């Protein structure tokens, strides 16, 4: 069995990285069949019967980072030609062909995903931490009225995520925050800002207060909560997958 691995950092949210990868397909002569698809985290395709490959599997894993989506790909194959001839064919022809095809495919893919990301509305949130507690905010009005969230909001066109975070917190809480580490990214399954359903994500950073006391200018209430109080809050459902990472922020020494 032979194998090649590829890693690409795409400046796009998880949903865009995944969807554009699906639209572009894969650079193989033979069509592949889907084996697994877990949007927007991973997919696996393999050649079906009747292909010139005896066996080929192409797996992709999409991971959120503070600078975009990391796409890890693995191609495993077998030529079906035994012995020295098979190994030669593999090394001299197939490996090079796969490398060439994947390199130009990945360049085109990264560029297409970055272009598409400009059209998808993003939301950023701050997990503001102080003395082992995180600041949570209760929404006032709209479909999530009364539910708890990380303060933040929509990124404006041309604005960086972190600039949006600092601006939104100043508007909503009247304080300056200093972003620290990337906490995670989750899928927003509804329509956000009139965009396509399921295309936007929420990206959360931890932050510390740069000074002042937060005041709820747009929320119904604010609360500082400890790690053991997080689960019991009535969160916007999309935020729940972030809670283990926030708990880690609050409990690490
Ligand atoms: N800020 C924030 N928004 C969240 C969270 N979870 C979640 O699903 N959302 C959704 C709710 C909204 O559909 C969208 C954010 O919209 P927003 O109304 O807070 O954004 P904004 O301040 O820029 O809004 P606007 O009033 O200026 O239009 O993301 C969260 O933890 N924090």
């Amino acid at each position: 069995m032979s194998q090649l691995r590829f890693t690409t950092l795409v400046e796009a949210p998880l949903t865009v990285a995944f969807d554009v990868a699906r639209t572009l397909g894969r650079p193989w002569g033979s069509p592949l069949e889907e084996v697994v698809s877990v949007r927007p985290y991973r997919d696996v395709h393999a050649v079906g019967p009747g292909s010139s490959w005896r066996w080929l599997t192409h797996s992709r894993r999409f991971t959120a980072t503070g600078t975009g989506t990391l796409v890890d790909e693995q191609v495993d194959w077998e030529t079906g030609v035994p012995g020295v001839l098979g190994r030669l064919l593999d090394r001299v022809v197939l490996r090079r062909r796969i490398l060439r095809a994947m390199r130009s495919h990945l360049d085109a893919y990264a560029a297409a995903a970055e272009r598409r990301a400009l059209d998808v509305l993003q939301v950023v949130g701050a997990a503001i931490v102080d003395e082992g507690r995180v600041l949570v905010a209760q929404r006032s009005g709209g479909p999530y009225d009364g539910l708890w969230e990380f303060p933040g909001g929509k990124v404006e066109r041309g604005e960086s995520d972190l600039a949006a975070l600092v601006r939104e917190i100043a508007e909503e809480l009247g304080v300056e925050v200093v972003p620290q580490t990337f906490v995670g990214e989750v899928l927003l399954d509804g329509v956000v800002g009139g965009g396509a359903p399921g295309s936007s994500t929420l990206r959360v950073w931890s932050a510390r207060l740069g000074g002042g006391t937060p005041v709820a200018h747009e929320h119904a209430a604010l609360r500082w909560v400890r790690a053991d109080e997080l689960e019991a809050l009535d969160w916007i459902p999309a935020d729940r997958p972030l809670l283990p990472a926030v708990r880690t922020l609050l409990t690490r020494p």
Side-chain angles (χ1 to χ4, degrees):
M1 188 186 82
S2 304
Q3 183 181 88
L4 278 170
R5 288 174 171 222
F6 304 85
T7 303
T8 319
L9 181 65
V10 179
E11 282 180 43
L14 275 172
T15 46
V16 171
F18 186 89
D19 294 346
V20 172
R22 308 274 297 178
T23 311
L24 280 189
R26 290 145 198 268
W28 314 119
S30 322
L32 302 191
E33 287 176 2
E34 183 177 283
V35 181
V36 176
S37 173
V38 185
R39 181 179 187 268
Y41 301 109
R42 81 186 190 98
D43 71 358
V44 179
H45 285 67
V47 282
S51 152
S52 53
W53 299 88
R54 187 164 138 223
W55 178 67
L56 184 143
T57 308
H58 185 168
S59 333
R60 297 187 284 214
R61 196 169 284 278
F62 301 77
T63 312
T65 76
T67 44
T69 301
L70 200 62
V71 188
D72 289 305
E73 311 201 25
Q74 185 173 317
V75 184
D76 298 279
W77 73 92
E78 253 177 42
T79 60
V81 179
V84 180
L85 186 62
R87 285 200 291 281
L88 203 67
L89 172 71
D90 194 48
R91 219 171 311 134
V92 177
V93 184
L94 293 178
R95 186 168 287 264
R96 287 186 190 169
R97 198 192 289 170
I98 291 173
L99 262 177
R100 229 184 359 252
M102 280 297 285
R103 280 195 187 126
S104 63
H105 170 74
L106 290 175
D107 286 347
Y109 162 58
E114 282 161 30
R115 273 197 307 276
R116 173 86 186 98
L118 299 175
D119 300 327
V120 173
L121 201 143
Q122 283 306 289
V123 178
V124 288
I128 304 171
V129 175
D130 191 35
E131 293 182 357
R133 293 171 310 160
V134 62
L135 188 68
V136 294
Q138 188 177 36
R139 280 186 85 93
S140 164
Y144 301 115
D145 185 33
L147 300 186
W148 294 86
E149 68 171 11
F150 298 102
K154 302 179 196 103
V155 180
E156 288 171 3
R157 214 180 156 84
E159 189 180 37
S160 73
D161 286 3
L162 295 185
L165 192 75
V166 171
R167 174 184 54 72
E168 284 285 349
I169 299 301
E171 286 169 15
E172 291 185 357
L173 309 178
V175 288
E176 188 199 330
V177 287
V178 185
Q180 303 287 298
T181 58
F182 179 69
V183 174
E185 179 172 358
V186 289
L187 203 61
L188 301 181
D189 50 7
V191 172
V192 180
S199 62
S200 296
T201 61
L202 163 71
R203 292 163 61 77
V204 171
W205 273 264
S206 68
R208 63 174 175 78
L209 280 175
T213 305
V215 174
H217 292 300
E218 297 177 13
H219 288 95
L222 299 177
R223 266 179 70 184
W224 288 100
V225 298
R226 293 191 314 267
D228 60 359
E229 297 169 309
L230 281 170
E231 278 295 328
L233 283 175
D234 202 2
W235 286 95
I236 298 183
D239 292 31
R240 282 208 171 264
L242 293 165
L243 299 187
V246 175
R247 173 185 287 272
T248 304
L249 271 181
L250 297 179
T251 50
R252 73 180 171 206

